[in-house]
């Protein structure tokens, strides 16, 4: 007997519909899987046989051929266990053929017949809806994640026996309630960290506010204990809430990577990723033998924090160039080519020298000028050029640390950031894919970053004095545009340009000398 049912395969952060065709006929024994299955899919035979035996079912004694179409797409992962098992049972007459026609199945089978959670459920649910299927049957642990997709009935089941009973109408199940994104609920949950905890550091806090408002990259240079990490970890608290579209895209990435909690629906907080400096290129950028999103994609719509920046391998840091410019990553290998989004705010922190105390107000640096230059030289010029704001973070005076008055809270700063983002949203409403000032191209810079005579002359003098590149020239204009937006000004002034130039500390030729 021939039966056709439905599954899905992950490709990048999206899914492709897969048709599972099962044919049982004479002419031999055993289960034959075709359609480019990987090892995990090939091993499903043993899991399915054991699950059948422990669920009161029996494998057909005749030849079973399972085809996964399209045949030229590689099928990876254990999520094909359930659709293959259901297809075999339907072909044996144990399940009605009509019950599997408009349903996608996803799930890994344990040897005792229980269903284990799998990754990538959200893009699979979206794929099922787009393919015109009516319902999705999957492990109970994945049901909340899949239920964010409207227009699709999501049923969570615990075992293979429960699945058979449900499909045969012997055990009715209630669809998982749709868990829509609730921005108001996200706002009501306070952050564990707050800028009110930060004493002093007015320049650094101002720079981070600008970075949050315009989506700019930041590099903080300062001695150990000056507060670089503390400041960086509080940046997400002043970023605008995720829009429903951003929440869906962010959740898809974390779902494919297997990083999302099983009981959650859409992610409600912007991600903050802080990989260790021993992270490899593949872990940072993505890819691998079985392609997975890297840290730059896990930080999409959020913050990527690289602490101790010079300690990262130079070749590892250089792979950041493309995503910083293009806001996406294309990973090409012999077997596949996938694209992951990577629109993040880069926040990096580093010491000013090997001993850490160059330019310290009270401690003496023991490094020679040459060693300071070599240490700073671990960060290449092209990468440094792609960072908009360079901030020198100085230690806080003891008097400020013991001050009773807290700093400005994150909620107040966030209101200013949200207002500036609203101005940018209106500015770029007709430009697809552009949401912040940091994403403006050359044509947009010409239109939205016009400079008066005084501003243009000031920027020209800075270009000559500090030997700035053309890329730095454009980035200064973008930062100045954000400063003007925070102030509610339509036009960029010379003061905005001066402040933006002041954030190019490491472009000055006197650093480390």
């Amino acid at each position: 007997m021939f039966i056709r049912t439905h599954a899905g395969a992950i490709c990048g952060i999206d899914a492709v519909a897969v048709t599972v065709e099962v044919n049982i006929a004479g002419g031999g024994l055993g289960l034959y899987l075709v359609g480019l299955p990987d090892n995990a899919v090939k091993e499903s035979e043993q899991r399915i046989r054991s699950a059948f035996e422990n669920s009161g079912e029996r494998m057909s004694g005749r030849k079973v051929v399972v085809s996964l179409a399209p045949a030229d797409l590689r099928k990876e992962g254990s999520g094909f266990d359930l659709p293959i098992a259901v297809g075999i049972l339907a072909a044996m007459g144990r399940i009605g053929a009509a019950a599997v026609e408009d349903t996608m199945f996803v799930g890994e089978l344990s040897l005792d017949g229980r269903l284990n959670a799998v990754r990538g459920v959200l893009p699979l649910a979206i794929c099922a809806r787009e393919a015109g299927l009516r319902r999705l049957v999957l492990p109970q642990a994945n049901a909340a994640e899949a239920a964010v997709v409207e227009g699709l009935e999501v049923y969570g089941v615990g075992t293979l026996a429960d699945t058979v009973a449900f499909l045969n109408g012997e055990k009715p199940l209630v669809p998982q309630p749709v868990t829509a994104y609730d921005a108001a609920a996200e706002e009501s949950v306070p952050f564990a960290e707050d800028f009110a905890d930060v004493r002093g550091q007015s320049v650094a806090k101002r720079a981070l506010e600008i970075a949050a408002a315009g989506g700019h990259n930041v590099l903080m240079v300062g001695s150990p204990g000056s507060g670089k990490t503390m400041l960086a970890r509080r940046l997400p608290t002043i970023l605008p809430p995720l829009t429903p579209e951003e929440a869906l895209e962010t959740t898809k990435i974390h779902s494919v990577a297997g990083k999302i909690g099983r009981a959650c629906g859409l992610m409600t907080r912007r991600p903050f990723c802080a990989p260790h400096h021993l992270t490899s290129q593949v872990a940072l950028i993505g890819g691998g033998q079985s392609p997975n999103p890297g840290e730059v994609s896990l930080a999409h719509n959020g913050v990527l924090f690289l602490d101790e920046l010079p300690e990262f391998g130079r070749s590892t840091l250089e792979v950041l160039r493309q995503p910083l410019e293009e806001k996406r990553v294309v990973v090409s290998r012999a077997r596949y080519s996938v694209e992951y989004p990577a629109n993040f705010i880069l926040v990096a922190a580093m010491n000013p020298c090997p001993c850490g105390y160059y330019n310290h107000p009270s401690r003496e640096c023991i490094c020679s000028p040459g060693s300071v230059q070599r240490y700073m030289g671990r960060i290449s010029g092209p990468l440094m050029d792609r960072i908009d704001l360079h901030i020198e973070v100085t230690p806080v005076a003891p008097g400020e640390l013991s001050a009773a008055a807290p700093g400005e809270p994150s909620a107040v700063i966030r209101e200013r950031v949200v207002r500036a983002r609203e101005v940018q949203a209106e500015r770029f409403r007709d430009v697809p894919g552009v949401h912040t000032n940091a994403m403006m191209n050359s044509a947009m810079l010409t239109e939205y970053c016009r400079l008066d005579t005084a501003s243009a002359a000031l920027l020209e003098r800075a270009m000559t004095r500090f030997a700035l590149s053309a890329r730095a020239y454009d980035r200064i204009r973008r930062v100045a545009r954000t400063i003007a937006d925070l102030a509610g000004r339509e036009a960029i002034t010379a003061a905005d340009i001066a402040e933006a130039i002041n954030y190019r500390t490491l472009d000055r030729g006197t650093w480390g000398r």
Side-chain angles (χ1 to χ4, degrees), residues 285-419:
I285 209 71
Q289 185 173 359
S290 296
N292 265 322
E295 294 288 341
V296 298
S297 297
L298 293 173
H300 180 64
N301 291 325
V303 177
L304 177 67
F305 177 47
L306 301 184
D307 201 2
E308 305 297 343
L309 187 66
E311 303 304 324
F312 283 80
R314 189 180 181 101
S315 59
T316 301
L317 291 178
E318 292 309 301
V319 301
L320 291 173
R321 292 193 198 178
Q322 182 203 16
L324 286 175
E325 286 288 334
E326 300 183 9
K327 308 301 181 184
R328 65 188 180 98
V329 173
V330 178
V331 182
S332 297
R333 299 291 185 269
R335 293 192 309 158
Y336 63 83
S337 178
V338 295
E339 179 178 320
Y340 298 118
N343 184 12
F344 56 88
I345 296 177
L346 173 65
V347 180
M350 61 181 291
N351 294 329
C353 65
C355 78
Y357 295 104
Y358 179 78
N359 275 355
H360 194 280
S362 60
R363 297 191 61 168
E364 183 179 356
C365 173
I366 61 173
C367 304
S368 66
S371 64
V372 175
Q373 286 291 304
R374 284 192 297 273
Y375 186 77
M376 298 299 296
R378 294 183 186 180
I379 315 302
S380 71
L383 180 60
M384 194 74 76
D385 224 20
R386 288 168 168 81
I387 300 178
D388 307 309
L389 306 169
H390 309 161
I391 304 131
E392 189 173 358
V393 182
T394 56
V396 180
E400 290 183 282
L401 285 174
S402 58
E408 190 176 28
S410 294
V412 175
I413 303 174
R414 193 185 202 191
E415 289 178 3
R416 296 196 295 266
V417 170
V418 169
R419 285 197 298 270

Side-chain angles (χ1 to χ4, degrees), residues 98-421:
V100 301
E101 287 180 353
D102 57 354
T103 305
M104 178 179 284
F105 298 92
V106 180
E108 175 187 323
L109 284 172
S110 293
L111 298 184
D112 61 357
R114 288 180 297 177
L115 285 175
N116 296 330
V118 295
R119 60 190 180 109
V121 162
L122 180 54
L124 289 170
I126 295 173
C127 174
R129 182 185 63 184
E130 293 176 348
L133 301 179
R134 181 172 61 90
R135 59 187 182 180
L136 172 65
V137 177
L138 74 174
Q140 184 64 54
N142 291 125
E145 179 185 340
V148 303
V149 180
E150 298 181 358
L152 182 72
E153 296 177 13
V154 176
Y155 294 92
V157 291
T159 66
L160 178 61
D162 290 343
T163 305
V164 174
F166 165 64
L167 294 174
N168 287 332
E170 300 167 1
K171 184 178 181 179
L173 294 177
V174 178
Q176 185 79 12
V178 176
T179 52
Y181 178 67
D182 189 350
E186 188 274 336
E187 289 285 337
S188 65
V189 180
F191 285 90
E193 297 157 324
D194 197 286
F195 268 98
D197 306 328
V198 181
R199 301 294 190 270
Q201 302 295 7
S202 57
V203 174
K205 287 190 286 188
R206 167 66 173 171
L208 290 178
E209 180 180 341
I210 295 169
H216 304 289
N217 304 315
V218 185
L219 172 61
M220 294 183 286
V221 183
S223 57
S226 57
K228 303 184 295 295
T229 301
M230 182 182 187
L231 287 161
R233 291 193 175 277
R234 280 156 177 75
L235 180 58
T237 68
I238 63 173
L239 290 173
L242 286 167
T243 65
E245 295 77 15
E246 288 176 331
L248 181 63
E249 189 175 34
T250 304
T251 306
K252 283 171 63 178
I253 297 169
H254 286 252
S255 174
V256 169
K259 302 288 186 181
I260 190 171
R262 299 302 183 192
C264 337
L266 287 176
M267 293 177 63
T268 58
R269 290 281 169 86
R270 292 186 181 272
F272 180 89
C273 298
H276 191 267
H277 59 258
L278 294 180
T279 297
S280 67
Q281 291 184 42
V282 172
L284 187 63
I285 209 71
Q289 185 173 359
S290 296
N292 265 322
E295 294 288 341
V296 298
S297 297
L298 293 173
H300 180 64
N301 291 325
V303 177
L304 177 67
F305 177 47
L306 301 184
D307 201 2
E308 305 297 343
L309 187 66
E311 303 304 324
F312 283 80
R314 189 180 181 101
S315 59
T316 301
L317 291 178
E318 292 309 301
V319 301
L320 291 173
R321 292 193 198 178
Q322 182 203 16
L324 286 175
E325 286 288 334
E326 300 183 9
K327 308 301 181 184
R328 65 188 180 98
V329 173
V330 178
V331 182
S332 297
R333 299 291 185 269
R335 293 192 309 158
Y336 63 83
S337 178
V338 295
E339 179 178 320
Y340 298 118
N343 184 12
F344 56 88
I345 296 177
L346 173 65
V347 180
M350 61 181 291
N351 294 329
C353 65
C355 78
Y357 295 104
Y358 179 78
N359 275 355
H360 194 280
S362 60
R363 297 191 61 168
E364 183 179 356
C365 173
I366 61 173
C367 304
S368 66
S371 64
V372 175
Q373 286 291 304
R374 284 192 297 273
Y375 186 77
M376 298 299 296
R378 294 183 186 180
I379 315 302
S380 71
L383 180 60
M384 194 74 76
D385 224 20
R386 288 168 168 81
I387 300 178
D388 307 309
L389 306 169
H390 309 161
I391 304 131
E392 189 173 358
V393 182
T394 56
V396 180
E400 290 183 282
L401 285 174
S402 58
E408 190 176 28
S410 294
V412 175
I413 303 174
R414 193 185 202 191
E415 289 178 3
R416 296 196 295 266
V417 170
V418 169
R419 285 197 298 270
R421 286 286 185 107

Side-chain angles (χ1 to χ4, degrees), residues 13 34 59 86 109 165 176-177 204 211 217 250 265 323 360 369 374 391 415 448-449 452 463 465 494:
I13 65 165
V34 297
M59 179 68 76
V86 168
L109 284 172
Q176 185 79 12
N217 304 315
T250 304
H360 194 280
R374 284 192 297 273
I391 304 131
E415 289 178 3
Y448 300 118
C449 299
D452 57 26
M463 291 288 294
R465 180 178 177 183

